[in-house]
Amino acid sequence: MSSGALPVIVVGGGITGLSAAWELQQRGAPYVLLEASDRLGGKVQTEHTDDGFLVEHAADAFILGKPYAAQLAREVGLEPDIIHPREDTKRLYFLKGGQLIDFPQNMKMFVPLDDEAFLRSGVLSPEGARRFLDEVNVPAKPTTDEDESLAAFITRRFGEAALNFIVPLAAGIYVANPFELSMKAAFPQFLALEQKYGSVILGSRATVRAPGPVFASFQGGMAALAQAIADRLTGEVRLNTRVQQVQSDGVLLEDGQHLRGSGVIVTTPAGSAAPMFEQHFGRAAGLIGALKANGSVAVVLAYRADQFPGDMQLHGLQVDASEGIHLKAVTVHSAKLHGRAPEGHVLLRVFFKDLDPGFALEEAQREVQRLFGAQGEPLWHLCADWRGKNPAYQVGHLEHLQQIRASLPANIQVAGASYTGVGLPDCVNAGRGAAQAAAGQLSVV
């Protein structure tokens, strides 16, 4: 690479931006990574408390079916630190009608692999369960470019009653309104199964899952990946550096400095990215600004194990969508992954949608007492407030994304969770893909 090449400017130091910088470095391309805050990692935040707990503020694991995060972890030397959810505590409840029932056995996400076990489970009425399983006889929708919502897809293939069971498992990942969430953007794999096999159930059963664990994390928490990448970056990284404008030949910083570059990769959430484009790329700014976001709050509660009358060695619970309560899910983090709580303690993460954090805390303690019999106050609590910060892939999202990209020159890109996937692997893949494209746009001073 020519020593006179202008750098690629990466805006945002979350996992997408870090992955972009790492890819550029691997390719010998100069880069400058700009982060507005005083830390790297974005939403991936791990906190180690003085009393021995490990707290995740956002994602606590990543899926291995998409190989990008695991591959990057190997490249930065984290492979020995990869851990997986515990099999000995792999128990999940489903809250329905105020009762905790065992989640059906032999499931692949929301698809049952055992009809009889699913019928006996009670997660749907007998009629609803039979209609659900009759999905194998529902004709595939003719191939079309038209998008549809998750709710429309579920109702069409599995019946209306199935919404209350599938929505917590599927839309919950996106904290989304199922009547607005785009199937093409969020769950293209199920559309592909329908087209290839004529049935999601038949397709899921015919598709052999790779042996071994489905999910992974790191001994030191999810932020270990961001730290490992950052430790190995040799290019210029600036914290507390806010970008005011994206320009055709670089960026204008908030302090008035003009930083020239061969290209710009903006990895910040759409809400903060849109104003950067207003001055020079008005159409792109409008399109990016039109992307909506959903909100969520995670309440983290720490207890002593003896504050619970029952066994808390389980992964957690999901809530039927018709339950009529604020609670959406609970993860027993201390039992799900090793090293998340000291011996004899329980660490819970209690999830809500767009709820005031103070009210969410009250609701979390009330629900943990009601559902698990918790006695007394938690040892401590904290709230991870993600209101307005979860991308909402609305119907037509991929077409909208095409318009955004068409409105920008080839050397300026947007990448990250606002556009092509919210999970860690998707963000890694987005960052590296953007960097690969940017490396081909390098120009010389």
Side-chain angles (χ1 to χ4, degrees):
M1 192 66 61
S2 169
S3 60
L6 287 168
V8 176
I9 300 170
V10 180
V11 182
I15 289 296
T16 304
L18 287 167
S19 300
W22 175 256
E23 180 67 22
L24 289 165
Q25 183 167 300
Q26 298 307 100
R27 292 172 174 269
Y31 62 87
V32 178
L33 176 61
L34 307 176
E35 166 56 40
S37 75
D38 60 0
R39 55 172 290 277
L40 298 171
K43 285 184 71 174
V44 177
Q45 298 179 29
T46 303
E47 181 176 342
H48 298 266
T49 69
D50 293 338
D51 50 354
F53 291 87
L54 186 158
V55 179
E56 301 285 18
H57 286 239
D60 66 4
F62 59 93
I63 194 165
L64 290 168
K66 297 178 179 180
Y68 316 112
Q71 173 62 36
L72 181 54
R74 286 191 290 271
E75 292 177 25
V76 296
L78 268 186
E79 187 167 23
D81 297 323
I82 290 177
I83 61 173
H84 307 286
R86 293 168 57 184
E87 287 293 327
D88 60 315
T89 59
K90 195 175 180 179
R91 186 157 54 100
L92 191 66
Y93 286 130
F94 192 70
L95 179 61
K96 182 179 175 65
Q99 302 296 314
L100 292 177
I101 60 178
D102 288 324
F103 196 81
Q105 297 295 307
N106 298 318
M107 300 286 290
K108 187 186 283 189
M109 196 173 176
F110 60 78
V111 177
L113 305 181
D114 182 332
D115 286 4
E116 291 305 315
F118 184 71
L119 288 167
R120 290 193 306 268
S121 69
V123 295
L124 288 171
S125 68
E127 298 80 12
R130 284 192 289 270
R131 169 62 184 87
F132 188 110
L133 294 172
D134 192 53
E135 188 269 346
V136 298
N137 298 313
V138 175
K141 185 178 181 180
T143 303
T144 173
D145 289 334
E146 186 179 355
D147 199 1
E148 66 181 320
S149 70
L150 173 65
F153 179 82
I154 293 171
T155 303
R156 177 170 63 80
R157 293 222 56 85
F158 297 93
E160 191 169 348
L163 280 170
N164 295 329
F165 173 63
I166 296 178
V167 164
L169 306 177
I173 299 169
Y174 293 89
V175 200
N177 179 340
F179 293 91
E180 296 179 352
L181 183 61
S182 160
M183 280 299 294
K184 286 173 67 175
F187 300 108
Q189 69 271 34
F190 296 119
L191 295 174
L193 290 176
E194 177 185 23
Q195 292 303 318
K196 182 175 180 179
Y197 295 95
S199 158
V200 175
I201 292 177
L202 293 178
S204 294
R205 293 176 179 178
T207 306
V208 179
R209 177 184 282 165
V214 177
F215 294 96
S217 187
F218 303 103
Q219 288 179 8
M222 293 287 279
L225 180 60
Q227 188 62 56
I229 301 169
D231 288 345
R232 287 160 179 78
L233 291 181
T234 56
E236 185 177 359
V237 177
R238 300 190 196 178
L239 299 178
N240 301 303
T241 304
R242 192 173 298 276
V243 172
Q244 188 174 78
Q245 292 178 20
V246 173
Q247 302 174 344
S248 58
D249 64 346
V251 298
L252 178 68
L253 303 182
E254 194 174 54
D255 64 6
Q257 179 186 358
H258 176 228
L259 190 61
R260 292 184 64 207
S262 286
V264 182
I265 303 172
V266 178
T267 70
T268 60
S272 60
M276 300 179 195
F277 291 97
E278 284 178 356
Q279 186 71 25
H280 298 279
F281 305 99
R283 175 164 168 73
L287 289 165
I288 295 169
L291 292 172
K292 294 186 178 179
N294 296 313
S296 63
V297 173
V299 178
V300 183
L301 303 172
Y303 294 89
R304 296 186 316 276
D306 62 16
Q307 290 181 261
F308 294 89
D311 178 16
M312 292 300 288
Q313 295 297 302
L314 69 151
H315 283 197
L317 67 84
Q318 294 281 351
V319 180
D320 184 284
S322 66
E323 200 66 7
I325 59 176
H326 293 292
L327 177 69
K328 298 304 174 186
V330 177
T331 298
V332 186
H333 213 217
S334 49
K336 180 179 178 181
L337 290 156
H338 282 295
R340 270 46 187 169
E343 189 70 28
H345 290 78
V346 174
L347 184 65
L348 302 172
R349 298 206 306 161
V350 188
F351 297 93
F352 302 91
K353 288 188 78 172
D354 237 339
L355 211 58
D356 174 80
F359 182 54
L361 174 60
E362 295 175 7
E363 285 288 292
Q365 292 183 244
R366 186 181 302 117
E367 293 290 13
V368 169
Q369 182 179 26
R370 176 174 76 96
L371 298 171
F372 298 114
Q375 299 165 0
E377 297 291 315
L379 302 177
W380 52 261
H381 68 268
L382 64 83
C383 290
D385 185 359
W386 299 115
R387 287 175 295 171
K389 296 179 180 178
N390 298 301
Y393 297 162
Q394 297 187 303
V395 172
H397 177 79
L398 294 187
E399 290 75 11
H400 193 99
L401 179 56
Q402 286 179 340
Q403 292 179 45
I404 291 172
R405 289 180 168 158
S407 68
L408 292 169
N411 69 323
I412 298 177
Q413 301 177 64
V414 291
S418 290
Y419 312 101
T420 55
V422 298
L424 199 72
D426 287 315
C427 290
V428 169
N429 189 42
R432 300 191 79 158
Q436 289 163 16
Q441 298 288 326
L442 288 174
S443 56
V444 179
V445 178

